[in-house]
Amino acid sequence: MKQVISCLRERGIDVACNVPLADHTTWKIGGPADLLITPNTKVELMEIINILVNHGAFWMVIGKGSNLLVTDKGFRGAVIKLNQALDYARFEGNMIHAGAAYSLIKLAAMASKHGLSGLEFAGGIPGTVGGAVYMNAGASGSDISRIFHSAEVIHETGEVRMLYADELQFAYRHSSLQNHRGVVTEASFQLASQDSESIRQLLNQHKEARLKTQPLPFDCAGSVFRNPPGHYAARLIEQAGLKGTRHGGAEVSTKHANFIMNTGQATASDVLALISRIQEEVHSQFGVHLVPEVIIVGEQ
Ligand code: FAD
């Protein structure tokens, strides 16, 4: 890592060592990353990937860390966090071109102001555009794939490619980006014209529904498990009698059983213990295996 650090610093790239990832996840949980690198331009981002790949360093990119569980030992390698360089949105007719670091919530609000419909589902998803494309984030019966046009992706080979919807193989919380190492830098979405007021009303309805059903004042990462085919994970967890179950500082929400809250001092081990307990209990009672939707990273 020393060589990587000096190589990055020689080029004037911001790099910090031993950075607690708890400060970069919505769960507010996670040990340190060896390196945290924040590119100031797209060219810098390409340079960073090139340096990391050439040195055989392990790396990952993060957005707002709203779907991440980082282990207590932390991440051995480099975390690239996209920031202001890719924090923009451009509106052109019915198309929106957004930088990967742009907030999805902000994008939904901006689309409503521009009288563009299609992003109402995203009004309460606290991730970035890049994270949303990677995850095919969705809610209220819609998801990113419904409005996705294309994305610019930097592959670890250094190749920059424009990928279109059919190449991303979108499925439930899945895109083909999950099979390859690469960084989304920009995504374009195709929306439909509609009057701003009706879009705003739908956004508000979704917001109110979230406030009623989700433990939003607590640090969390949204739904912990994917919905298994034919089931709702939250219902299975509730029927298994697990609402309110605690491990250390982690608790299965009594408001939404698929949310695990950090009640203040939760560790990743606490959350992992609850995840295992839920999986065992749901499997033994209903014969259904729950698969985490949150992405678990870091040294075990
Ligand atoms: P991160 O959590 O930072 O990263 C997630 C994954 O995306 C990682 O593997 C990361 O490597 C990858 N990634 C991030 N940026 C890029 C990029 N630029 N290029 C390539 N890969 C990238 N999700 C839903 O789908 N629906 C919901 O309704 C929903 N509700 C939520 C409610 C709350 C309160 C919270 C906290 C979370 C919720 N989530 C929901 C989960 C989360 O917000 C989404 O999965 C979101 O898309 C993650 O975006 P992010 O930028 O935070 O990504």
Side-chain angles (χ1 to χ4, degrees):
M1 273 298 171
K2 273 190 185 148
Q3 275 184 335
V4 173
I5 297 169
S6 52
C7 227
L8 291 165
R9 290 200 172 136
E10 269 166 26
R11 285 166 176 77
I13 294 169
D14 289 336
V15 50
C17 301
N18 217 19
V19 179
L21 287 177
D23 297 341
H24 298 275
T25 66
T26 54
W27 239 327
K28 300 278 179 278
I29 290 173
D34 291 337
L35 304 183
L36 182 78
I37 314 173
T38 41
N40 289 312
T41 62
K42 201 156 85 181
V43 173
E44 235 180 60
L45 171 61
M46 290 168 77
E47 262 189 285
I48 292 164
I49 295 172
N50 188 28
I51 291 168
L52 293 171
V53 171
N54 283 344
H55 284 85
F58 193 52
W59 63 276
M60 73 175 290
V61 59
I62 62 168
K64 290 193 189 288
S66 63
N67 202 41
L68 284 183
L69 179 63
V70 180
T71 60
D72 298 316
K73 286 187 182 163
F75 185 81
R76 300 290 71 79
V79 170
I80 301 174
K81 177 150 180 167
L82 304 179
N83 60 2
Q84 64 270 24
L86 297 173
D87 190 8
Y88 61 82
R90 274 194 332 270
F91 287 74
E92 275 175 28
N94 285 5
M95 292 283 283
I96 308 179
H97 310 281
Y102 200 76
S103 147
L104 197 63
I105 290 180
K106 236 160 81 182
L107 197 69
M110 291 299 288
S112 130
K113 282 193 185 134
H114 281 76
L116 291 174
S117 171
L119 266 166
E120 293 86 335
F121 75 90
I125 303 181
T128 59
V129 163
V133 173
Y134 179 94
M135 289 302 302
N136 187 21
S140 312
S142 191
D143 60 29
I144 286 291
S145 72
R146 306 276 186 105
I147 48 159
F148 181 85
H149 178 268
S150 55
E152 184 187 76
V153 179
I154 304 176
H155 290 271
E156 64 177 344
T157 54
E159 188 192 6
V160 182
R161 278 191 62 199
M162 197 59 97
L163 296 180
Y164 294 88
D166 55 332
E167 293 166 282
L168 283 189
Q169 297 164 10
F170 286 118
Y172 171 57
R173 301 297 169 268
H174 175 85
S175 73
S176 62
L177 295 165
Q178 294 171 15
N179 309 330
H180 312 281
R181 195 171 293 262
V183 178
V184 175
T185 53
E186 182 179 289
S188 300
F189 305 106
Q190 175 113 46
L191 284 88
S193 296
Q194 215 183 78
D195 68 292
S196 292
E197 184 48 30
S198 61
I199 299 171
R200 203 182 54 78
Q201 277 178 12
L202 194 52
L203 267 176
N204 284 343
Q205 273 172 29
H206 290 334
K207 201 196 265 173
E208 277 161 29
R210 275 179 191 267
L211 285 171
K212 268 194 203 129
T213 57
Q214 299 181 358
L216 293 183
F218 287 93
D219 296 327
C220 66
S223 291
V224 173
F225 296 100
R226 291 163 178 267
N227 287 323
H231 296 277
Y232 287 106
R235 197 170 296 158
L236 292 171
I237 299 167
E238 181 170 356
Q239 284 170 352
L242 292 166
K243 268 185 163 181
T245 307
R246 282 185 74 105
H247 196 286
E251 182 178 318
V252 178
S253 166
T254 49
K255 214 169 175 184
H256 191 310
N258 201 10
F259 278 50
I260 293 180
M261 309 177 308
N262 177 358
T263 62
Q265 302 297 325
T267 61
S269 307
D270 292 338
V271 175
L272 287 168
L274 268 189
I275 287 177
S276 298
R277 167 92 201 275
I278 291 168
Q279 285 174 320
E280 279 162 24
E281 206 59 55
V282 167
H283 189 260
S284 80
Q285 291 194 35
F286 308 111
V288 177
H289 177 62
L290 289 181
V291 175
E293 176 174 321
V294 292
I295 293 169
I296 301 166
V297 295
E299 193 181 348
Q300 297 287 333

